[in-house]
Amino acid sequence: MPDLDATHSPDLRSWVASAQGHAEFPIQNLPLGVFSPPGGTPRGGVAIGNEILDLAAAGRAGLFGGEAARAAEAAGAPALNALLALGAGPRRALRTQLSALLAEGSPHQAQVAPLLHPAAGCTLHLPTVIGDYTDFYVGIHHATNVGRVFRPDDPLLPNYKYVPIGYHGRASSVRPSGTAFHRPKGQRKPATQATPDFGPCRNLDYELELGIWIGPGNELGEPVSIAEAPAQVAGYSLLNDWSARDIQAWEYQPLGPFLAKNFCSTVSTWIVTPEALAPFRVPQPPRPEGDPAPLPYLLDEADQREGALDLQLEVLILTPAMREKGLPPQTLSRSNAQHMYWTVAQMLTHHTSNGCNLQPGDLLGSGTLSAPGEEGFGSLLESTKGGKELVQLTSGETRRFLEDGDEVFLRAHAHRPGAVSIGFGECRGTVLPAV
Ligand code: MN
């Protein structure tokens, strides 16, 4: 296992009672985010059980030393760009000292306890001011399923196994979990119509994706090598890349996604660090027989050995009728972050390979991460075969695509024998009627 230390020990327990056995935020996780306590302004915090610790307040109380103190000071801003820019050293130091402060037996418990805020009473915000957002397409089962609709015999285009495919998304419309958004309007041209018309999207979809937060970044004209790429990753979130399939089908050629994608994208609000995910790193799955090897600039032995994540992913839906009947959200699919044809390091290295600069707090999306088989579809486009079939719900309803009032939840949990399981917190959004 890479980089495991005392902060990962399964024997470690926190004096914060709710952290014990917490499905998302035990003391082994310690994700970073931005929150406002009741009546307070946005600031950096760390989730522990059902509480949030105010990082800058803990810094002002003199609870951190060295690089961790610098990191805690940077976390006093209303966005974590400056903290992420500090890179892995200060971030690791902060984790190490936080773990000691929050562990059972800490001599500082009495000083730390008043700096905790019950999460239920806090407002969570986007963790950074996102300068740029790029969405990739590395979920090979999704790419194959979608490609099959158009090219049954040859679903993947010839570049797919050479290029980590992506497009520049829109940062201004990324929103934190819990934000509702209006169904977009746009140009629609069903096959039955000779000309397009303008109106509310009829084929509104979700996409189950992993979000990647950029750390220090690189200067324009200075590519990041594959060996250096892991040091550029500040952490991970869930990302729902809401998609208007009817608008997309009409607009996407020849330049790719545009208004079908940029009306809203939802991220989970906690940045789960590479340190927290260290116990869940796994080898990149071998490429199928006959596939080309990655070009040399995308191939690194350490990245192939430990560049993938064993992270269980889930999509759930709660419709207004289910809510009225008191039914719980229904699981629509289950997948895993191992279904990425390219690693995060390969995505990042390719992105900068022409000299393009990434900046602290930028966001990358993985693309939809479907698992093989019917149970693993990461979008309704796949589940309903492009809207030709219906998904059955426990309420007796069916869905072709999303309807007004539908709420979609993404979840991520990491489990490994010998490690304490951690989660990402929720990535949730609700569809409101078109304006
Ligand atoms: Mn996407």
Side-chain angles (χ1 to χ4, degrees), residues 335-365:
S335 187
N336 192 295
Q338 288 178 90
H339 299 300
M340 290 167 57
Y341 191 75
W342 299 97
T343 67
V344 169
Q346 288 172 322
M347 290 158 55
L348 198 151
T349 295
H350 181 69
H351 200 316
T352 67
S353 61
N354 65 346
C356 176
N357 53 325
L358 300 177
Q359 300 186 92
D362 280 1
L363 178 65
L364 308 183

PDB file of all heavy atoms in Angstrom, residues 335-365:
ATOM      1  N   SER A 335     -21.775   1.348  -9.604  1.00  0.00           N
ATOM      2  CA  SER A 335     -20.581   1.235 -10.436  1.00  0.00           C
ATOM      3  C   SER A 335     -19.342   1.354  -9.557  1.00  0.00           C
ATOM      4  O   SER A 335     -19.426   1.212  -8.330  1.00  0.00           O
ATOM      5  CB  SER A 335     -20.614   2.317 -11.523  1.00  0.00           C
ATOM      6  OG  SER A 335     -19.551   2.141 -12.434  1.00  0.00           O
ATOM      7  N   ASN A 336     -18.212   1.574 -10.181  1.00  0.00           N
ATOM      8  CA  ASN A 336     -16.954   1.672  -9.448  1.00  0.00           C
ATOM      9  C   ASN A 336     -15.997   2.552 -10.251  1.00  0.00           C
ATOM     10  O   ASN A 336     -16.000   2.502 -11.488  1.00  0.00           O
ATOM     11  CB  ASN A 336     -16.354   0.269  -9.240  1.00  0.00           C
ATOM     12  CG  ASN A 336     -15.214   0.269  -8.244  1.00  0.00           C
ATOM     13  OD1 ASN A 336     -14.161   0.870  -8.469  1.00  0.00           O
ATOM     14  ND2 ASN A 336     -15.414  -0.383  -7.108  1.00  0.00           N
ATOM     15  N   ALA A 337     -15.204   3.341  -9.538  1.00  0.00           N
ATOM     16  CA  ALA A 337     -14.262   4.241 -10.218  1.00  0.00           C
ATOM     17  C   ALA A 337     -13.153   3.486 -10.944  1.00  0.00           C
ATOM     18  O   ALA A 337     -12.350   4.100 -11.648  1.00  0.00           O
ATOM     19  CB  ALA A 337     -13.655   5.221  -9.210  1.00  0.00           C
ATOM     20  N   GLN A 338     -13.106   2.147 -10.784  1.00  0.00           N
ATOM     21  CA  GLN A 338     -12.095   1.381 -11.534  1.00  0.00           C
ATOM     22  C   GLN A 338     -12.436   1.260 -13.017  1.00  0.00           C
ATOM     23  O   GLN A 338     -11.602   0.809 -13.799  1.00  0.00           O
ATOM     24  CB  GLN A 338     -11.949  -0.023 -10.944  1.00  0.00           C
ATOM     25  CG  GLN A 338     -11.244  -0.024  -9.609  1.00  0.00           C
ATOM     26  CD  GLN A 338     -11.154  -1.423  -9.029  1.00  0.00           C
ATOM     27  OE1 GLN A 338     -10.205  -2.155  -9.273  1.00  0.00           O
ATOM     28  NE2 GLN A 338     -12.152  -1.792  -8.260  1.00  0.00           N
ATOM     29  N   HIS A 339     -13.656   1.679 -13.406  1.00  0.00           N
ATOM     30  CA  HIS A 339     -14.044   1.537 -14.812  1.00  0.00           C
ATOM     31  C   HIS A 339     -13.597   2.737 -15.639  1.00  0.00           C
ATOM     32  O   HIS A 339     -14.333   3.231 -16.481  1.00  0.00           O
ATOM     33  CB  HIS A 339     -15.552   1.314 -14.929  1.00  0.00           C
ATOM     34  CG  HIS A 339     -16.020   0.065 -14.241  1.00  0.00           C
ATOM     35  ND1 HIS A 339     -15.559  -1.192 -14.582  1.00  0.00           N
ATOM     36  CD2 HIS A 339     -16.876  -0.129 -13.208  1.00  0.00           C
ATOM     37  CE1 HIS A 339     -16.125  -2.089 -13.807  1.00  0.00           C
ATOM     38  NE2 HIS A 339     -16.923  -1.479 -12.955  1.00  0.00           N
ATOM     39  N   MET A 340     -12.396   3.223 -15.357  1.00  0.00           N
ATOM     40  CA  MET A 340     -11.819   4.341 -16.104  1.00  0.00           C
ATOM     41  C   MET A 340     -10.736   3.789 -17.020  1.00  0.00           C
ATOM     42  O   MET A 340      -9.814   3.113 -16.559  1.00  0.00           O
ATOM     43  CB  MET A 340     -11.229   5.377 -15.127  1.00  0.00           C
ATOM     44  CG  MET A 340     -12.320   6.123 -14.347  1.00  0.00           C
ATOM     45  SD  MET A 340     -11.734   7.087 -12.913  1.00  0.00           S
ATOM     46  CE  MET A 340     -10.532   8.168 -13.668  1.00  0.00           C
ATOM     47  N   TYR A 341     -10.841   4.080 -18.305  1.00  0.00           N
ATOM     48  CA  TYR A 341      -9.844   3.572 -19.258  1.00  0.00           C
ATOM     49  C   TYR A 341      -8.517   4.297 -19.083  1.00  0.00           C
ATOM     50  O   TYR A 341      -7.460   3.733 -19.379  1.00  0.00           O
ATOM     51  CB  TYR A 341     -10.364   3.738 -20.692  1.00  0.00           C
ATOM     52  CG  TYR A 341      -9.537   3.004 -21.720  1.00  0.00           C
ATOM     53  CD1 TYR A 341      -9.634   1.607 -21.839  1.00  0.00           C
ATOM     54  CD2 TYR A 341      -8.669   3.678 -22.565  1.00  0.00           C
ATOM     55  CE1 TYR A 341      -8.885   0.926 -22.774  1.00  0.00           C
ATOM     56  CE2 TYR A 341      -7.915   3.002 -23.513  1.00  0.00           C
ATOM     57  CZ  TYR A 341      -8.024   1.625 -23.617  1.00  0.00           C
ATOM     58  OH  TYR A 341      -7.293   0.940 -24.544  1.00  0.00           O
ATOM     59  N   TRP A 342      -8.593   5.565 -18.621  1.00  0.00           N
ATOM     60  CA  TRP A 342      -7.398   6.360 -18.347  1.00  0.00           C
ATOM     61  C   TRP A 342      -7.381   6.718 -16.865  1.00  0.00           C
ATOM     62  O   TRP A 342      -8.431   6.952 -16.265  1.00  0.00           O
ATOM     63  CB  TRP A 342      -7.409   7.644 -19.176  1.00  0.00           C
ATOM     64  CG  TRP A 342      -7.421   7.409 -20.661  1.00  0.00           C
ATOM     65  CD1 TRP A 342      -8.517   7.400 -21.482  1.00  0.00           C
ATOM     66  CD2 TRP A 342      -6.298   7.153 -21.512  1.00  0.00           C
ATOM     67  NE1 TRP A 342      -8.147   7.149 -22.776  1.00  0.00           N
ATOM     68  CE2 TRP A 342      -6.783   7.001 -22.827  1.00  0.00           C
ATOM     69  CE3 TRP A 342      -4.923   7.037 -21.281  1.00  0.00           C
ATOM     70  CZ2 TRP A 342      -5.952   6.740 -23.918  1.00  0.00           C
ATOM     71  CZ3 TRP A 342      -4.096   6.780 -22.375  1.00  0.00           C
ATOM     72  CH2 TRP A 342      -4.607   6.638 -23.667  1.00  0.00           C
ATOM     73  N   THR A 343      -6.190   6.782 -16.270  1.00  0.00           N
ATOM     74  CA  THR A 343      -6.082   7.192 -14.870  1.00  0.00           C
ATOM     75  C   THR A 343      -6.215   8.710 -14.767  1.00  0.00           C
ATOM     76  O   THR A 343      -6.088   9.439 -15.758  1.00  0.00           O
ATOM     77  CB  THR A 343      -4.722   6.789 -14.267  1.00  0.00           C
ATOM     78  OG1 THR A 343      -3.691   7.549 -14.924  1.00  0.00           O
ATOM     79  CG2 THR A 343      -4.450   5.304 -14.421  1.00  0.00           C
ATOM     80  N   VAL A 344      -6.431   9.175 -13.547  1.00  0.00           N
ATOM     81  CA  VAL A 344      -6.482  10.622 -13.296  1.00  0.00           C
ATOM     82  C   VAL A 344      -5.161  11.277 -13.709  1.00  0.00           C
ATOM     83  O   VAL A 344      -5.139  12.354 -14.306  1.00  0.00           O
ATOM     84  CB  VAL A 344      -6.805  10.879 -11.814  1.00  0.00           C
ATOM     85  CG1 VAL A 344      -6.601  12.350 -11.451  1.00  0.00           C
ATOM     86  CG2 VAL A 344      -8.240  10.442 -11.510  1.00  0.00           C
ATOM     87  N   ALA A 345      -4.037  10.619 -13.421  1.00  0.00           N
ATOM     88  CA  ALA A 345      -2.735  11.183 -13.803  1.00  0.00           C
ATOM     89  C   ALA A 345      -2.618  11.291 -15.323  1.00  0.00           C
ATOM     90  O   ALA A 345      -2.081  12.278 -15.844  1.00  0.00           O
ATOM     91  CB  ALA A 345      -1.603  10.314 -13.244  1.00  0.00           C
ATOM     92  N   GLN A 346      -3.122  10.318 -16.043  1.00  0.00           N
ATOM     93  CA  GLN A 346      -3.082  10.381 -17.507  1.00  0.00           C
ATOM     94  C   GLN A 346      -3.957  11.509 -18.043  1.00  0.00           C
ATOM     95  O   GLN A 346      -3.583  12.216 -18.987  1.00  0.00           O
ATOM     96  CB  GLN A 346      -3.511   9.032 -18.110  1.00  0.00           C
ATOM     97  CG  GLN A 346      -2.456   7.942 -17.917  1.00  0.00           C
ATOM     98  CD  GLN A 346      -2.946   6.573 -18.344  1.00  0.00           C
ATOM     99  OE1 GLN A 346      -4.113   6.207 -18.140  1.00  0.00           O
ATOM    100  NE2 GLN A 346      -2.055   5.791 -18.937  1.00  0.00           N
ATOM    101  N   MET A 347      -5.133  11.694 -17.448  1.00  0.00           N
ATOM    102  CA  MET A 347      -6.012  12.800 -17.848  1.00  0.00           C
ATOM    103  C   MET A 347      -5.307  14.132 -17.649  1.00  0.00           C
ATOM    104  O   MET A 347      -5.307  15.008 -18.525  1.00  0.00           O
ATOM    105  CB  MET A 347      -7.298  12.758 -16.999  1.00  0.00           C
ATOM    106  CG  MET A 347      -8.227  11.605 -17.305  1.00  0.00           C
ATOM    107  SD  MET A 347      -9.348  11.210 -15.923  1.00  0.00           S
ATOM    108  CE  MET A 347     -10.133  12.759 -15.628  1.00  0.00           C
ATOM    109  N   LEU A 348      -4.716  14.292 -16.468  1.00  0.00           N
ATOM    110  CA  LEU A 348      -4.085  15.561 -16.093  1.00  0.00           C
ATOM    111  C   LEU A 348      -2.856  15.836 -16.971  1.00  0.00           C
ATOM    112  O   LEU A 348      -2.646  16.956 -17.457  1.00  0.00           O
ATOM    113  CB  LEU A 348      -3.725  15.478 -14.611  1.00  0.00           C
ATOM    114  CG  LEU A 348      -3.456  16.762 -13.866  1.00  0.00           C
ATOM    115  CD1 LEU A 348      -3.817  16.600 -12.392  1.00  0.00           C
ATOM    116  CD2 LEU A 348      -2.017  17.191 -13.990  1.00  0.00           C
ATOM    117  N   THR A 349      -2.051  14.807 -17.185  1.00  0.00           N
ATOM    118  CA  THR A 349      -0.857  14.964 -18.022  1.00  0.00           C
ATOM    119  C   THR A 349      -1.239  15.299 -19.460  1.00  0.00           C
ATOM    120  O   THR A 349      -0.652  16.190 -20.079  1.00  0.00           O
ATOM    121  CB  THR A 349      -0.018  13.674 -17.986  1.00  0.00           C
ATOM    122  OG1 THR A 349       0.456  13.505 -16.661  1.00  0.00           O
ATOM    123  CG2 THR A 349       1.150  13.736 -18.947  1.00  0.00           C
ATOM    124  N   HIS A 350      -2.241  14.598 -19.975  1.00  0.00           N
ATOM    125  CA  HIS A 350      -2.672  14.901 -21.340  1.00  0.00           C
ATOM    126  C   HIS A 350      -3.186  16.334 -21.445  1.00  0.00           C
ATOM    127  O   HIS A 350      -2.901  17.035 -22.416  1.00  0.00           O
ATOM    128  CB  HIS A 350      -3.756  13.912 -21.784  1.00  0.00           C
ATOM    129  CG  HIS A 350      -4.213  14.164 -23.182  1.00  0.00           C
ATOM    130  ND1 HIS A 350      -3.403  13.939 -24.270  1.00  0.00           N
ATOM    131  CD2 HIS A 350      -5.381  14.673 -23.669  1.00  0.00           C
ATOM    132  CE1 HIS A 350      -4.047  14.291 -25.377  1.00  0.00           C
ATOM    133  NE2 HIS A 350      -5.238  14.743 -25.035  1.00  0.00           N
ATOM    134  N   HIS A 351      -3.929  16.783 -20.431  1.00  0.00           N
ATOM    135  CA  HIS A 351      -4.519  18.133 -20.449  1.00  0.00           C
ATOM    136  C   HIS A 351      -3.438  19.211 -20.568  1.00  0.00           C
ATOM    137  O   HIS A 351      -3.610  20.231 -21.228  1.00  0.00           O
ATOM    138  CB  HIS A 351      -5.334  18.332 -19.168  1.00  0.00           C
ATOM    139  CG  HIS A 351      -6.359  19.418 -19.226  1.00  0.00           C
ATOM    140  ND1 HIS A 351      -6.119  20.657 -19.783  1.00  0.00           N
ATOM    141  CD2 HIS A 351      -7.636  19.453 -18.794  1.00  0.00           C
ATOM    142  CE1 HIS A 351      -7.211  21.399 -19.687  1.00  0.00           C
ATOM    143  NE2 HIS A 351      -8.149  20.687 -19.101  1.00  0.00           N
ATOM    144  N   THR A 352      -2.297  18.967 -19.902  1.00  0.00           N
ATOM    145  CA  THR A 352      -1.229  19.979 -19.899  1.00  0.00           C
ATOM    146  C   THR A 352      -0.166  19.707 -20.964  1.00  0.00           C
ATOM    147  O   THR A 352       0.808  20.455 -21.070  1.00  0.00           O
ATOM    148  CB  THR A 352      -0.522  20.017 -18.527  1.00  0.00           C
ATOM    149  OG1 THR A 352       0.190  18.787 -18.336  1.00  0.00           O
ATOM    150  CG2 THR A 352      -1.502  20.221 -17.380  1.00  0.00           C
ATOM    151  N   SER A 353      -0.339  18.623 -21.747  1.00  0.00           N
ATOM    152  CA  SER A 353       0.741  18.178 -22.645  1.00  0.00           C
ATOM    153  C   SER A 353       1.049  19.189 -23.741  1.00  0.00           C
ATOM    154  O   SER A 353       2.134  19.192 -24.308  1.00  0.00           O
ATOM    155  CB  SER A 353       0.387  16.820 -23.258  1.00  0.00           C
ATOM    156  OG  SER A 353      -0.802  16.927 -24.030  1.00  0.00           O
ATOM    157  N   ASN A 354       0.096  20.060 -24.047  1.00  0.00           N
ATOM    158  CA  ASN A 354       0.327  21.107 -25.053  1.00  0.00           C
ATOM    159  C   ASN A 354       0.766  22.413 -24.398  1.00  0.00           C
ATOM    160  O   ASN A 354       0.883  23.430 -25.067  1.00  0.00           O
ATOM    161  CB  ASN A 354      -0.958  21.347 -25.857  1.00  0.00           C
ATOM    162  CG  ASN A 354      -2.075  21.901 -24.990  1.00  0.00           C
ATOM    163  OD1 ASN A 354      -1.988  21.865 -23.759  1.00  0.00           O
ATOM    164  ND2 ASN A 354      -3.118  22.409 -25.610  1.00  0.00           N
ATOM    165  N   GLY A 355       0.977  22.401 -23.085  1.00  0.00           N
ATOM    166  CA  GLY A 355       1.344  23.616 -22.362  1.00  0.00           C
ATOM    167  C   GLY A 355       0.172  24.300 -21.682  1.00  0.00           C
ATOM    168  O   GLY A 355       0.358  25.312 -21.001  1.00  0.00           O
ATOM    169  N   CYS A 356      -1.033  23.755 -21.838  1.00  0.00           N
ATOM    170  CA  CYS A 356      -2.207  24.358 -21.183  1.00  0.00           C
ATOM    171  C   CYS A 356      -1.988  24.392 -19.672  1.00  0.00           C
ATOM    172  O   CYS A 356      -1.525  23.415 -19.078  1.00  0.00           O
ATOM    173  CB  CYS A 356      -3.456  23.550 -21.517  1.00  0.00           C
ATOM    174  SG  CYS A 356      -4.941  24.118 -20.671  1.00  0.00           S
ATOM    175  N   ASN A 357      -2.307  25.520 -19.044  1.00  0.00           N
ATOM    176  CA  ASN A 357      -2.090  25.656 -17.602  1.00  0.00           C
ATOM    177  C   ASN A 357      -3.343  25.328 -16.818  1.00  0.00           C
ATOM    178  O   ASN A 357      -4.429  25.817 -17.123  1.00  0.00           O
ATOM    179  CB  ASN A 357      -1.595  27.062 -17.257  1.00  0.00           C
ATOM    180  CG  ASN A 357      -2.477  28.163 -17.802  1.00  0.00           C
ATOM    181  OD1 ASN A 357      -3.046  28.030 -18.889  1.00  0.00           O
ATOM    182  ND2 ASN A 357      -2.589  29.246 -17.057  1.00  0.00           N
ATOM    183  N   LEU A 358      -3.181  24.480 -15.798  1.00  0.00           N
ATOM    184  CA  LEU A 358      -4.227  24.213 -14.809  1.00  0.00           C
ATOM    185  C   LEU A 358      -3.942  25.104 -13.606  1.00  0.00           C
ATOM    186  O   LEU A 358      -2.785  25.382 -13.281  1.00  0.00           O
ATOM    187  CB  LEU A 358      -4.215  22.744 -14.392  1.00  0.00           C
ATOM    188  CG  LEU A 358      -4.439  21.736 -15.525  1.00  0.00           C
ATOM    189  CD1 LEU A 358      -4.339  20.312 -14.981  1.00  0.00           C
ATOM    190  CD2 LEU A 358      -5.805  21.953 -16.172  1.00  0.00           C
ATOM    191  N   GLN A 359      -5.009  25.538 -12.936  1.00  0.00           N
ATOM    192  CA  GLN A 359      -4.828  26.462 -11.816  1.00  0.00           C
ATOM    193  C   GLN A 359      -5.422  25.873 -10.531  1.00  0.00           C
ATOM    194  O   GLN A 359      -6.338  25.052 -10.587  1.00  0.00           O
ATOM    195  CB  GLN A 359      -5.498  27.790 -12.144  1.00  0.00           C
ATOM    196  CG  GLN A 359      -4.911  28.429 -13.403  1.00  0.00           C
ATOM    197  CD  GLN A 359      -5.475  29.809 -13.659  1.00  0.00           C
ATOM    198  OE1 GLN A 359      -4.917  30.805 -13.218  1.00  0.00           O
ATOM    199  NE2 GLN A 359      -6.592  29.846 -14.351  1.00  0.00           N
ATOM    200  N   PRO A 360      -4.925  26.331  -9.367  1.00  0.00           N
ATOM    201  CA  PRO A 360      -5.428  25.788  -8.097  1.00  0.00           C
ATOM    202  C   PRO A 360      -6.945  25.942  -8.011  1.00  0.00           C
ATOM    203  O   PRO A 360      -7.477  27.023  -8.272  1.00  0.00           O
ATOM    204  CB  PRO A 360      -4.743  26.662  -7.041  1.00  0.00           C
ATOM    205  CG  PRO A 360      -3.523  27.206  -7.712  1.00  0.00           C
ATOM    206  CD  PRO A 360      -3.877  27.345  -9.172  1.00  0.00           C
ATOM    207  N   GLY A 361      -7.624  24.858  -7.653  1.00  0.00           N
ATOM    208  CA  GLY A 361      -9.078  24.903  -7.511  1.00  0.00           C
ATOM    209  C   GLY A 361      -9.836  24.601  -8.774  1.00  0.00           C
ATOM    210  O   GLY A 361     -11.062  24.548  -8.758  1.00  0.00           O
ATOM    211  N   ASP A 362      -9.128  24.370  -9.903  1.00  0.00           N
ATOM    212  CA  ASP A 362      -9.814  23.923 -11.124  1.00  0.00           C
ATOM    213  C   ASP A 362     -10.440  22.552 -10.874  1.00  0.00           C
ATOM    214  O   ASP A 362      -9.999  21.793  -9.993  1.00  0.00           O
ATOM    215  CB  ASP A 362      -8.827  23.807 -12.290  1.00  0.00           C
ATOM    216  CG  ASP A 362      -8.512  25.144 -12.948  1.00  0.00           C
ATOM    217  OD1 ASP A 362      -9.049  26.180 -12.496  1.00  0.00           O
ATOM    218  OD2 ASP A 362      -7.723  25.149 -13.912  1.00  0.00           O
ATOM    219  N   LEU A 363     -11.437  22.245 -11.700  1.00  0.00           N
ATOM    220  CA  LEU A 363     -12.170  20.985 -11.569  1.00  0.00           C
ATOM    221  C   LEU A 363     -12.074  20.184 -12.861  1.00  0.00           C
ATOM    222  O   LEU A 363     -12.294  20.736 -13.942  1.00  0.00           O
ATOM    223  CB  LEU A 363     -13.641  21.291 -11.245  1.00  0.00           C
ATOM    224  CG  LEU A 363     -14.602  20.113 -11.113  1.00  0.00           C
ATOM    225  CD1 LEU A 363     -14.237  19.216  -9.924  1.00  0.00           C
ATOM    226  CD2 LEU A 363     -16.041  20.623 -10.967  1.00  0.00           C
ATOM    227  N   LEU A 364     -11.740  18.897 -12.742  1.00  0.00           N
ATOM    228  CA  LEU A 364     -11.829  17.962 -13.860  1.00  0.00           C
ATOM    229  C   LEU A 364     -12.950  16.973 -13.565  1.00  0.00           C
ATOM    230  O   LEU A 364     -13.135  16.570 -12.421  1.00  0.00           O
ATOM    231  CB  LEU A 364     -10.524  17.165 -14.046  1.00  0.00           C
ATOM    232  CG  LEU A 364      -9.202  17.926 -14.141  1.00  0.00           C
ATOM    233  CD1 LEU A 364      -8.057  16.938 -14.399  1.00  0.00           C
ATOM    234  CD2 LEU A 364      -9.248  19.002 -15.222  1.00  0.00           C
ATOM    235  N   GLY A 365     -13.684  16.584 -14.593  1.00  0.00           N
ATOM    236  CA  GLY A 365     -14.669  15.504 -14.466  1.00  0.00           C
ATOM    237  C   GLY A 365     -14.142  14.281 -15.191  1.00  0.00           C
ATOM    238  O   GLY A 365     -13.446  14.396 -16.202  1.00  0.00           O
TER     239      GLY A 365
END
